[in-house]
Amino acid sequence: MSVDEVFFDRVAHDLRGELSTMLAGVHYLLRFGRDLAPPTREMLERVSGAGERLTRMLAEFDDAVWLLDTKKPLVLAPLRFGDLLDEVMTRIEPTVKTRGVRLILEQTDADAAAELVGDVDILATALTSIVDLATLRAPSGTVHVTAETREGAPIVRVRDEGDAVPKDVLARLFEPFVEREIVPRETHGRRKLRLGIGLPIARAIFEAHGGSLVVESSDAGLTLRGVISLRKASEIPPEPEKARAASG
């Protein structure tokens, strides 16, 4: 583990611990503080909301190691395409309910059963970040997630019903913090819901899997296409212990 990775890991871990303690106290008061005056309860709810937003931003900070030259090691394993998408839907479900967004997943049984090789946790992190951004761009609207396999390659498209993105912004979309420019101001105002590095992190994760993340041209909304490579289970490097045992 490099010094940079240690820094991100240590800072994010310590901040999450303190934040979790703070939120636990706030949630306890909101649940059991029956005699709270309305202004006090309102302030506690605002602190709770700020804490939840900060939690999401810390998650991005923790994953920012993917923007460094030294990447996190991948834990590669065979998995079903459908299982990966199920994990993403489970992670994003609370956010979808909170924002009043309609999320539609389109996939055939054959595509869901397709096998790929990857790090399910890391890939789910990338896809969840992309869908999360789409829900911010389409408040009370619909986000379409389409999964297919083309020539054996797993492909995911995420399309929102937000405003069209100007071409000059699209050209810079995968630069840090640019994604803030494509979220309606009334959605976040002064309270940022993301650091603004989710898209470059997601692209780095897809590329680490031998794939890609690109923008597809569209007259309205924003469509992002993620492709995962055609690795086979036989390409997974053996764990050191197993390799030594196999060598005798």
Side-chain angles (χ1 to χ4, degrees):
M1 182 179 285
S2 69
V3 174
D4 287 331
E5 189 175 341
V6 170
F7 171 78
F8 280 98
D9 185 68
R10 182 71 58 82
V11 171
H13 177 272
D14 290 350
L15 289 178
R16 278 199 303 270
E18 298 299 332
L19 181 59
S20 296
T21 301
M22 180 193 76
L23 285 176
V26 170
H27 293 160
Y28 178 88
L29 290 172
L30 286 171
R31 181 176 181 181
F32 297 106
R34 299 177 181 177
D35 298 328
L36 292 175
T40 302
R41 179 170 293 277
E42 180 182 354
M43 178 55 69
L44 287 171
E45 289 175 347
R46 291 177 62 184
V47 173
S48 175
E52 298 297 341
R53 290 189 292 272
L54 184 55
T55 298
R56 288 194 293 270
M57 293 171 73
L58 278 174
E60 272 188 83
F61 179 80
D62 192 22
D63 291 325
V65 67
W66 285 98
L67 303 181
L68 302 176
D69 291 335
T70 303
K71 313 298 184 186
K72 284 185 176 181
L74 295 173
V75 181
L76 298 176
L79 64 141
R80 292 175 66 257
F81 196 12
D83 290 343
L84 170 62
L85 296 169
D86 287 344
E87 174 65 20
V88 174
M89 295 300 109
T90 298
R91 294 188 185 190
I92 201 67
E93 183 179 9
T95 299
V96 170
K97 290 181 177 179
T98 299
R99 295 176 184 166
V101 176
R102 184 184 180 205
L103 181 61
I104 298 177
L105 172 61
E106 302 174 6
Q107 63 175 334
T108 66
D109 291 341
D111 289 327
E115 283 200 352
L116 60 106
V117 171
D119 188 318
V120 63
D121 181 62
I122 298 299
L123 280 172
T125 294
L127 283 169
T128 302
S129 179
I130 296 169
V131 177
D132 178 76
L133 178 63
T135 65
L136 281 175
R137 285 183 35 82
S140 301
T142 302
V143 172
H144 302 266
V145 179
T146 305
E148 65 173 329
T149 54
R150 183 174 300 176
E151 297 181 353
I155 301 173
V156 182
R157 287 182 176 82
V158 179
R159 177 171 62 86
D160 63 51
E161 295 182 345
D163 295 333
V165 180
K167 291 183 178 180
D168 63 312
V169 177
L170 283 177
R172 301 181 289 111
L173 193 58
F174 293 102
E175 296 177 9
F177 311 116
V178 173
E179 69 177 48
R180 289 187 177 190
E181 299 179 31
I182 64 175
V183 178
R185 184 169 298 276
E186 61 269 18
T187 299
H188 55 75
R190 294 171 59 189
R191 300 174 180 172
K192 304 301 183 185
L193 298 179
R194 291 165 60 117
L195 283 178
I197 57 176
L199 286 183
I201 289 172
R203 183 173 67 171
I205 289 173
F206 273 96
E207 290 177 348
H209 281 82
S212 62
L213 178 64
V214 299
V215 178
E216 288 195 340
S217 59
S218 176
D219 295 331
L222 175 67
T223 301
L224 292 166
R225 184 185 74 226
V227 181
I228 306 172
S229 77
L230 288 173
R231 278 195 182 103
K232 299 179 181 179
S234 59
E235 299 179 46
I236 301 176
E239 296 177 12
E241 294 79 6
K242 294 181 179 179
R244 286 195 294 269
S247 64

